Amino acid sequence: LLSARIRSKLMRFLVLTMPFYGNAETQLTLRGAGATLPQKLYVAAAKAYSSVTPGVNVEIIPTGSGNGKCLIKNISASCGGFENGLVIDWAASDATFSDEEYAQFPDLQVYPVTASAIVPVSNLPGLSATEHAGLVLDTEALAAIFCSSKCTHGITHWDDPRIVLTNPVLNARGLL
């Protein structure tokens, strides 16, 4: 997510520093915040970019996706405990903006940067590798497992009817 401020900042930097490209005294800091899952990727990319672009420093603050979106929109309310006034130039999030957010913040742009996957892993004592490989969790059950005890409909035990429904021969009991 890039703000109009960062696009303007980049253009000013390019116009002002082009004649002095490579001048170590010229410094631009681009500060980003947001998603923690791809943080190592962003840190590596920032380091690589800064090594070939003298005068540009890229900072990444791992705030979480929702807080990154909150900060890029310059919402005056607290963003998950991050102090008001923290100014960022870009944000990383695993969620795009809603139509309402796009209407409210028309100069923010969203660009896909990376993709990731989360794979559930199970370890049920007494089950063979074949039985583990045959474990089926539909989208409702998987979402309820990730929701766990935080939701009234969360799954906390292997013998939950939603797991048994797709795994009738599974003889598992107990906590996930």
Side-chain angles (χ1 to χ4, degrees):
L1 307 170
L2 291 177
S3 67
R5 183 180 67 252
I6 186 60
R7 289 193 303 273
S8 172
K9 202 175 191 181
L10 279 171
M11 289 307 295
R12 281 194 315 268
F13 177 77
L14 290 173
V15 168
L16 294 173
T17 63
M18 195 58 81
F20 308 104
Y21 184 76
N23 182 347
E25 293 177 24
T26 304
Q27 188 68 31
L28 172 69
T29 297
L30 303 175
R31 183 176 293 125
T36 56
L37 181 72
Q39 179 188 4
K40 288 183 180 183
L41 171 70
Y42 294 138
V43 168
K47 184 177 178 181
Y49 183 80
S50 293
S51 73
V52 297
T53 313
V56 178
N57 179 42
V58 181
E59 295 177 1
I60 298 104
I61 304 166
T63 62
S65 293
N67 291 328
K69 286 176 66 177
C70 178
L71 290 166
I72 195 69
K73 294 185 291 185
N74 291 318
I75 294 176
S76 59
S78 176
C79 295
F82 291 91
E83 66 182 78
N84 295 343
L86 176 61
V87 177
I88 62 172
D89 301 304
W90 58 274
S93 179
D94 55 6
T96 188
F97 286 130
S98 66
D99 290 342
E100 292 81 22
E101 287 173 309
Y102 276 121
Q104 189 177 0
F105 303 96
D107 33 325
L108 289 180
Q109 300 294 313
V110 176
Y111 302 99
V113 175
T114 186
S116 61
I118 298 174
V119 178
V121 177
S122 64
N123 183 13
L124 291 164
L127 291 187
S128 69
T130 305
E131 290 171 312
H132 270 285
L135 181 65
V136 176
L137 299 171
D138 63 17
T139 55
E140 178 190 352
L142 196 55
I145 288 170
F146 278 107
C147 186
S148 179
S149 60
K150 298 177 193 103
C151 305
T152 56
H153 66 282
I155 292 178
T156 57
H157 291 78
W158 283 108
D159 56 354
D160 186 283
R162 292 166 288 184
I163 294 177
V164 173
L165 181 68
T166 56
N167 301 278
V169 295
L170 181 67
N171 188 16
R173 303 239 182 281
L175 293 173
L176 291 172

